[in-house]
Amino acid sequence: MTASRPRLYVDAQFTSPYALSVFVALREKGIDFDLLPLDLDAAQHREPAYARLSQTQRVPTLVHDGFALSESSAITEYLEELFPEPAIYPLDRQQRAKARQVQAWLRSDLLPIRQERSTLVVFYGCKGEPLSPPAEAAVAKLIDTAQALLADGRDCLFGQWSIADVDLALMLNRLILNGDPMPARLVDYARRQWQRPAVQEWLRLPRPAL
């Protein structure tokens, strides 16, 4: 029996950083898939048919050979195990663990940045108000950590590109594309990551008007 074509459910505005991460992972691995947008404002992610697929009722969700999986880092790790070449995580075990650490940190911390610099800044050009003191503290933490991870002038976090680079570049671009101060080294890093063909393809997706 021929395997079914994978389906990736994403938000209809194509602004989810987590959907972007899985989209890039699939493209980097050369996996053909169907892209299915859901209107989150219309609560399509809560409809029974989707809720049966996504136990978290969130995007992204990947459906592959009858198996449905949500949460972006779980999906990218699943894809890496199933389709190991080309790799989207470092081959070295410790560096791979560090890449997962970076992904988990960006998803669980820095909430004031995510609140005050939504991805509408990145994908729609919407500018935010001046940052609050908690957001400024989160930015300082982000900058310190990013500079430490890239301390030796490397172009990628772990010597060669990994999916964690897309996730970090997205977080930096929430600020850079809003015009917030950012060290030139990190601006160059984020700009370089943003030029990957898979990221550019995501940026060109047709977005509905706000």
Side-chain angles (χ1 to χ4, degrees):
M1 181 180 295
T2 302
S4 60
R5 184 181 174 96
R7 307 195 307 272
L8 178 63
Y9 292 87
V10 302
D11 61 302
Q13 292 180 323
F14 306 115
T15 59
S16 166
Y18 314 118
L20 163 65
S21 188
V22 176
F23 179 93
V24 170
L26 287 161
R27 283 289 186 251
E28 292 283 344
K29 288 187 172 295
I31 300 169
D32 290 330
F33 62 97
D34 294 324
L35 188 66
L36 302 175
L38 296 177
D39 188 340
L40 304 188
D41 291 335
Q44 288 185 339
H45 57 304
R46 300 194 186 282
E47 293 179 358
Y50 186 71
R52 285 193 293 271
L53 289 176
S54 173
Q55 293 170 329
T56 60
Q57 299 181 30
R58 306 209 298 177
V59 294
T61 290
L62 179 74
V63 180
H64 174 256
D65 285 348
F67 173 67
L69 185 64
S70 300
E71 303 304 316
S72 58
S73 59
I75 296 172
T76 54
E77 289 181 30
Y78 169 77
L79 291 171
E80 184 79 334
E81 291 185 12
L82 197 62
F83 307 102
E85 296 295 336
I88 59 170
Y89 283 94
L91 299 179
D92 177 81
R93 181 180 293 109
Q94 291 184 347
Q95 288 189 335
R96 188 162 61 250
K98 280 289 189 180
R100 289 168 174 163
Q101 174 185 293
V102 169
Q103 288 188 297
W105 172 59
L106 293 170
R107 286 157 172 74
S108 62
D109 198 0
L110 309 174
L111 178 61
I113 298 176
R114 288 184 275 125
Q115 289 177 327
E116 299 182 29
R117 294 293 181 265
S118 81
T119 53
L120 295 180
V121 172
V122 178
F123 300 113
Y124 278 90
C126 301
K127 297 298 179 71
E129 298 295 325
L131 293 168
S132 67
E136 289 179 345
V139 170
K141 181 178 182 180
L142 171 63
I143 290 173
D144 286 348
T145 303
Q147 288 181 321
L149 288 166
L150 297 163
D152 58 0
R154 64 183 67 184
D155 292 338
C156 298
L157 287 169
F158 304 104
Q160 62 182 35
W161 179 87
S162 76
I163 195 64
D165 285 296
V166 172
D167 294 338
L168 178 57
L170 184 283
M171 183 62 78
L172 294 170
N173 274 331
R174 291 173 184 264
L175 300 155
I176 293 167
L177 297 177
N178 191 74
D180 296 305
M182 183 66 60
R185 171 75 182 87
L186 297 183
V187 173
D188 290 343
Y189 164 81
R191 183 179 296 118
R192 187 178 304 110
Q193 299 304 325
W194 230 231
Q195 294 308 308
R196 291 192 76 85
V199 176
Q200 286 293 306
E201 183 180 350
W202 178 266
L203 293 174
R204 291 193 298 267
L205 290 172
R207 292 173 171 79
L210 291 177

